Amino acid sequence: MNMTYEETIAPFRFFPSRLCVEDVNERNEYHQRDDRLWKAALEDLFEDFLRFFFPAACESFDFGRGFSYLDKEFDQLLSPEESDTGVRHVDKLVKVYLKDNTEKCFLTHIEVQGQRGREEFTKRMHRYWYRVKDKYRIPVTSLAILTDNNKSFRPGIYTEECLGTSLIYKFNSYKILDQDEEMLRANSNPFALIILTTLLYIKNKNQGGYELLNMKRDLLKEMLGRNLDKIRQRAVFNFLNHFVHFRDEEIKSIFEQDIKELTKRNIAMGTEEYLLDKAMSQGIEKGIEKGVEKGLRQGKERFVRNLILQLDLNDRQAAGVAEVSVEFVKHVRQSLFKSKKATSIKE
């Protein structure tokens, strides 16, 4: 059944979400890591993402034509001043084709919102929409995934009026904090596990390490019970394993052992390789790769720092990926700790 553009985007379902941190000195590190996890999940599970949010996805979208990710083009639409809004957000601009026997397609603008920022959120969403619309001259739909924990923050409409001329811009707003846990568990779509992981972490992030460990075990069992293919399993596991993080190295080791026992194999190394590939492809190591190739110690140290700060790997994992000794990683971690301490004292 062919559907119009309006019929396609109308039946959005609304749920909740949020990213969190525990310590002021570690906030930026965790935010950068969580932002990359969201971007990776959206790219690796984009077809599932569409099926999750659009009930008529199978009848509406031409999945056979694939998707075009236009993040770089989107960034070029904004000036540096506009990009620096004092707010954390993960922007994804994706071109998706419809099943209507024409060349028509539409752009889906997805934004994962972590906090309010200095600028009014709805105004920014409207500006993004009309600039994309003006550049590509095709239908544009926007979705804001709200990852904050403010129950009263529910943007979804922007209005403007001047001397009898008025503008009303409505966009799809999805707040994970509203989501029902049982509904997510009952949803067979793999993307439901991304939302479930975020929701449970929102509710339990202030619990002790062992409480989080039990929660993470439960989510791992939930994932394994879905019988996902390898690609989807790796994408979901990557998000789960690194979004729900532990400070305690002992608890991290316990969970790694749980992985081996529950999966009957060590899938942690596969995840490390996946994360490294994802990091390299997204340019996390720009300027570092040359240093590593030349064998320079400075390049190695910088590489290991990124594995620790941006991917949250433990000493053994970082040593395996960077092909250095565990002692080398411990030295880098110690220097990071001293740097944080010095910064904290200055502040």
Side-chain angles (χ1 to χ4, degrees):
M1 178 181 66
N2 293 330
M3 300 182 69
T4 65
Y5 171 73
E6 289 74 16
E7 290 172 330
T8 299
I9 68 171
F12 255 82
R13 297 195 301 261
F14 306 96
F15 306 108
S17 156
R18 146 174 176 304
L19 312 173
C20 8
V21 293
E22 291 93 323
D23 186 13
V24 172
N25 292 329
E26 297 176 344
R27 182 173 298 158
N28 289 335
E29 298 164 16
Y30 285 133
H31 281 175
Q32 291 173 4
R33 179 211 58 201
D34 292 347
D35 291 350
R36 273 187 295 277
L37 288 173
W38 269 104
K39 284 187 176 181
L42 287 168
E43 290 183 3
D44 297 338
L45 300 170
F46 191 69
E47 183 173 328
D48 297 308
F49 163 85
L50 289 176
R51 296 178 192 274
F52 184 82
F53 285 103
F54 295 90
C58 293
E59 295 82 8
S60 305
F61 302 123
D62 188 352
F63 293 126
R65 298 190 63 178
F67 316 111
S68 298
Y69 297 97
L70 305 172
D71 297 354
K72 291 182 179 179
E73 291 84 346
F74 179 73
D75 290 339
Q76 293 173 359
L77 296 178
L78 306 174
S79 66
E81 293 76 16
E82 289 173 319
S83 298
D84 183 19
T85 59
V87 61
R88 290 184 49 254
H89 48 84
V90 178
D91 296 316
K92 296 297 296 181
L93 185 60
V94 188
K95 181 185 290 186
V96 183
Y97 292 89
L98 299 179
K99 281 184 177 179
D100 60 359
N101 298 319
T102 72
E103 293 297 319
K104 184 174 63 178
C105 58
F106 73 94
L107 296 167
T108 302
H109 169 226
I110 309 150
E111 173 156 328
V112 180
Q113 171 81 7
Q115 62 192 56
R116 291 196 181 196
R118 295 188 294 270
E119 182 185 29
E120 184 183 350
F121 178 69
T122 57
K123 182 178 181 180
R124 180 161 56 85
M125 286 292 289
H126 173 250
R127 186 175 71 250
Y128 287 3
W129 176 84
Y130 74 68
R131 290 199 178 174
V132 172
K133 175 77 172 177
D134 184 60
K135 178 177 177 61
Y136 294 98
R137 306 285 180 173
I138 56 178
V140 179
T141 186
S142 300
L143 166 64
I145 301 178
L146 303 175
T147 60
D148 66 288
N149 63 345
N150 186 337
K151 294 182 179 180
S152 63
F153 183 55
R154 299 178 180 279
I157 184 170
Y158 172 72
T159 60
E160 188 174 311
E161 186 172 352
C162 179
L163 300 175
T165 298
S166 61
L167 166 73
I168 300 177
Y169 167 67
K170 296 181 180 179
F171 57 90
N172 301 292
S173 181
Y174 170 99
K175 195 174 183 70
I176 295 180
L177 198 60
D178 293 339
Q179 177 57 27
D180 181 80
E181 178 182 340
E182 295 307 315
M183 287 180 63
L184 289 173
R185 290 184 184 275
N187 191 330
S188 61
N189 189 310
F191 202 82
L193 292 175
I194 301 298
I195 304 302
L196 178 63
T197 297
T198 308
L199 175 65
L200 292 182
Y201 190 46
I202 292 171
K203 292 182 176 180
N204 297 283
K205 81 178 190 73
N206 293 323
Q207 298 293 324
Y210 286 97
E211 286 78 6
L212 281 177
L213 175 62
N214 290 331
M215 183 195 79
K216 199 167 180 176
R217 281 172 176 163
D218 172 67
L219 287 167
L220 177 61
K221 292 177 181 178
E222 180 76 34
M223 181 198 76
L224 294 173
R226 301 276 181 121
N227 195 30
L228 303 175
D229 60 56
K230 290 183 179 180
I231 295 177
R232 286 181 169 86
Q233 184 182 80
R234 175 172 288 188
V236 173
F237 177 75
N238 169 51
F239 189 90
L240 161 63
N241 193 34
H242 293 273
F243 190 82
V244 182
H245 50 81
F246 306 117
R247 289 184 175 183
D248 193 309
E249 291 293 328
E250 180 180 353
I251 296 179
K252 288 183 180 180
S253 298
I254 293 174
F255 186 70
E256 288 178 9
Q257 188 61 37
D258 289 340
I259 295 171
K260 296 178 183 179
E261 293 177 359
L262 289 170
T263 63
K264 306 303 180 185
R265 66 187 188 281
N266 186 357
I267 66 174
M269 283 306 297
T271 302
E272 291 166 21
E273 294 166 0
Y274 169 83
L275 281 171
L276 181 60
D277 290 341
K278 182 65 65 176
M280 298 295 279
S281 66
Q282 293 179 346
I284 297 174
E285 266 63 62
K286 283 182 179 177
I288 297 174
E289 188 176 3
K290 292 181 180 179
V292 175
E293 291 173 351
K294 294 178 181 179
L296 299 176
R297 181 181 178 85
Q298 183 179 6
K300 284 281 188 180
E301 289 178 343
R302 202 174 303 151
F303 184 39
V304 171
R305 282 202 300 270
N306 279 286
L307 293 175
I308 295 172
L309 295 176
Q310 300 180 8
L311 302 182
D312 197 29
L313 301 186
N314 61 34
D315 292 348
R316 182 186 62 78
Q317 293 170 333
V321 172
E323 297 182 349
V324 297
S325 67
V326 174
E327 289 70 25
F328 184 92
V329 177
K330 288 183 178 179
H331 170 75
V332 175
R333 193 182 292 276
Q334 186 176 19
S335 66
L336 285 171
F337 175 78
K338 290 180 179 178
S339 177
K340 289 182 186 178
K341 189 174 182 181
T343 303
S344 178
I345 292 175
K346 288 180 181 180
E347 293 177 349

